[in-house]
């Protein structure tokens, strides 16, 4: 079976009207037999707020009512809402009970158990929408196949067990029905609900594509593909017809919001094309991500990651430099921080870093810098933006750096990273200048 797996993002399932766009896409493609859904837009944020605690009874009840109103609004527009209303109300009641658990704010396990309800509600309602269109669809609990470890908040799937369980429990359903399941969530061997972390729904679709040997993995969102840069910055930005896995990973890692780098790993392992398109305008096409592109331009796209800080670590001790660098790396790792850019001199290291969990970046950064201050002098420069030019063989083509620096000749660059990867060149600029820098680079290079 030439299987296509379609993942629909939060904005694509945020309302009854949005879900109808998903239905049309599924019905238009006979090979689209497995659908992965995110939570309706806004609901995961509400659930995260509930999980953090510190809310008054009134605030908690208000959040729960917002979730209830959003999904009930979808349900009431179904042709036969009573077919799903009972299960929907049961899910909402269970969700509310977990929101009342005193241990919730201090337990990642309970928070994961709470977060799963956004996707579970979405899959219930989207299945109903597909069924009422005349196509047979069944809802499937992904947790029965998505076996993970117990690293709550960012669980790691067991690829081999997933493949076995998917073949045993999921493959047979695909013969006769469209199967609708949840992204983002999984389950430990002893039955505890987990979440796959940031970008988890895209990751789910890719993992299932690998497990079921799909022909194609489609990521449906609210934009018609991956753009040459953020169209909110540059009005002339355009969707890219194709990207290589390497290019797409660099874009995602350095600020593009459409895809998460982890999404690409399972599809890359199996050379499965990934398509990114818009549920609102599927006729516009989108971006196909493949191992090898037909064309590999020197400059493909420009990304920006805001709210960056440049950290410079000074040590007067020239001896045992390797031990100093090792301590720096170990300290950052202890707090879940990964280095993006780094340059070194005989007595200093300058770097930028990011967090595995973006929401923890500020706190992790504060703690890490306090530890580093015990072994060296720490200097922090805030209010910077990281701009990355993504392309091909940037370090090999004569004159490519010259083209870039000609545009940047009047820009104060605080740090640059070039040559470590043939697919990108990254640099830090003042945040007040970055918008104009991107506009000029896009006009000159793309």
């Amino acid at each position: 079976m030439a299987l296509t797996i379609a993942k629909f993002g939060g904005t694509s399932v945020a309302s009854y009207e949005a879900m109808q766009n998903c239905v049309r896409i599924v019905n238009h493609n006979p090979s689209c037999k497995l659908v992965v859904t995110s939570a309706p837009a806004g609901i995961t944020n509400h659930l995260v707020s509930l999980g953090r605690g510190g809310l008054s009874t009134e605030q908690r009840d208000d959040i729960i009512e917002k979730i209830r109103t959003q999904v009930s609004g979808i349900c009431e527009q179904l042709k036969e809402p009573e077919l799903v209303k009972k299960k929907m109300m049961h899910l909402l009641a269970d969700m509310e009970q977990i929101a009342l658990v005193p241990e919730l704010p201090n337990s990642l396990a309970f928070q994961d158990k709470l977060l799963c309800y956004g996707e579970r509600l979405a899959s219930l309602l989207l299945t109903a929408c597909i069924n009422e269109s005349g196509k047979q669809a069944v809802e499937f609990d992904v947790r029965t196949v998505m076996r993970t470890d117990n690293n709550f908040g960012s669980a790691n799937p067991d690829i081999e067990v997933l493949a076995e369980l998917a073949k045993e429990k999921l493959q047979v359903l695909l013969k006769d029905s469209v199967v609708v399941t949840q992204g983002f969530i999984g389950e430990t061997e002893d039955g505890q609900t987990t979440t796959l972390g940031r970008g988890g729904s895209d990751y789910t679709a890719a993992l299932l594509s690998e497990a079921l040997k799909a022909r194609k993995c489609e990521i449906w969102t609210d934009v018609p593909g991956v753009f040459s840069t953020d169209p909110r910055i540059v009005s002339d930005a355009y969707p890219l017809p194709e990207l290589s896995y390497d290019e797409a990973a660099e874009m995602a890692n350095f600020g593009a919001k459409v895809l998460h780098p982890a999404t690409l790993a399972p599809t890359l392992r199996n050379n499965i094309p990934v398509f990114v398109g818009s549920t609102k305008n599927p006729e516009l096409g989108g971006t196909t991500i493949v191992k090898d592109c037909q064309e590999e331009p020197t400059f493909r796209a420009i990304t920006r990651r805001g709210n960056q800080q440049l950290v410079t670590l000074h040590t007067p001790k020239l001896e045992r430099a390797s031990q100093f660098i090792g301590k720096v790396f170990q300290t950052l790792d202890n707090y879940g921080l990964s280095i993006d850019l780094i340059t070194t001199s005989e007595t200093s290291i300058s770097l930028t870093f990011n967090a595995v969990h973006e929401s923890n970046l500020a706190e992790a950064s504060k703690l890490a810098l306090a530890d580093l201050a015990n072994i060296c002098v720490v200097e922090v420069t805030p209010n910077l933006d990281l701009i990355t030019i993504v392309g091909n063989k940037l370090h090999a083509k004569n004159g490519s750096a010259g083209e870039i620096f000609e545009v940047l000749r009047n820009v104060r660059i605080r740090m640059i990273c070039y040559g470590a990867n043939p697919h990108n060149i990254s640099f830090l600029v003042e945040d007040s200048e970055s918008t104009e820098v991107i506009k000029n680079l896009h006009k000159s290079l793309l």
Side-chain angles (χ1 to χ4, degrees), residues 1-6 23-35 135-136 174-179 215 218:
M1 180 173 59
L3 173 65
T4 295
I5 294 178
V23 172
R24 283 188 283 272
I25 288 169
V26 172
N27 289 346
H28 182 71
N29 183 359
S31 69
C32 183
K33 301 287 286 183
L34 180 58
V35 173
K135 196 160 192 173
Q136 182 175 334
L174 298 173
K175 295 179 180 178
D176 302 314
S177 306
V178 173
V179 177
R215 182 187 66 179
E218 297 179 343

Side-chain angles (χ1 to χ4, degrees), residues 77 128 153 174 184 207 252 270 284 296 306 355-356 358 374 385 409 416:
Q77 294 183 71
L174 298 173
F184 183 55
L207 286 166
N270 296 271
L284 296 180
E296 296 185 342
V356 174
E358 196 170 277
N374 294 323
D385 283 356
R409 63 184 183 278
I416 189 166

Side-chain angles (χ1 to χ4, degrees), residues 179 192 223 311 324:
V179 177
Q192 295 188 79
V223 292
V311 177
F324 172 62

